[in-house]
Amino acid sequence: ETGGSRGKHSLLSLSIALYGEARYVKRVSRGNFSPPPQVDSAIVAVVDISRKHVKNIDEELFFSILRTAFRQRRKQIRASLRTLPAPFHEVETALAAADIAADARPETISLQKWLTLTKTLSPHLR
């Protein structure tokens, strides 16, 4: 799910969504591992791989922003992006332009909103 805001995202799931679509293949029982983890696992295939989302963004900057935000993923996005080398009012303006609430948690933000945030912040982070 790349367009909406449902579900929890991670740095890994957003990275996959940037280049393709993750599709569930098969469940792998925890009993197949030694020692067994607390949860079952899954095999996931990445399909429809393309660069359509990265045509108009700086990929390095996109991942830098994501890493900054997910370093403290339990924090609100406003607080986690404070360490970016950009004037804070520009960060707040970019959050508003991407329609991201300042109190949102990084895992609740869709790929499309991260892309918009990256485009908006790009001139202030170069």
Side-chain angles (χ1 to χ4, degrees):
E1 186 268 324
T2 59
S5 59
R6 293 182 328 217
K8 287 196 175 186
H9 302 285
S10 67
L11 184 55
L12 177 60
S13 71
L14 289 164
S15 299
I16 291 169
L18 184 66
Y19 299 108
E21 182 182 334
R23 293 240 175 99
Y24 172 83
V25 175
K26 182 179 178 182
R27 183 177 72 88
V28 180
S29 170
R30 65 190 93 185
N32 289 306
F33 299 94
S34 180
Q38 297 293 317
V39 296
D40 290 338
S41 295
I43 297 172
V44 177
V46 180
V47 297
D48 297 329
I49 296 172
S50 76
R51 298 186 57 79
K52 67 182 177 186
H53 292 301
V54 295
K55 286 181 184 173
N56 300 316
I57 67 157
D58 179 331
E59 289 173 79
E60 188 175 322
L61 181 60
F62 174 81
F63 286 110
S64 176
I65 292 169
L66 277 185
R67 282 190 302 275
T68 299
F70 277 93
R71 227 176 255 129
Q72 300 176 10
R73 67 187 187 98
R74 295 285 178 220
K75 280 193 170 187
Q76 296 176 350
I77 191 69
R78 177 193 297 135
S80 46
L81 294 183
R82 274 197 185 277
T83 61
L84 287 175
F88 193 65
H89 71 278
E90 296 296 348
V91 172
E92 289 183 319
T93 299
L95 287 170
D99 193 29
I100 298 171
D103 62 351
R105 307 269 186 233
E107 68 264 17
T108 65
I109 300 169
S110 70
L111 175 62
Q112 283 309 128
K113 290 183 179 189
W114 283 113
L115 291 169
T116 301
L117 181 67
T118 301
K119 287 179 196 173
T120 308
L121 278 176
S122 184
H124 306 288
L125 293 171
R126 292 189 178 186

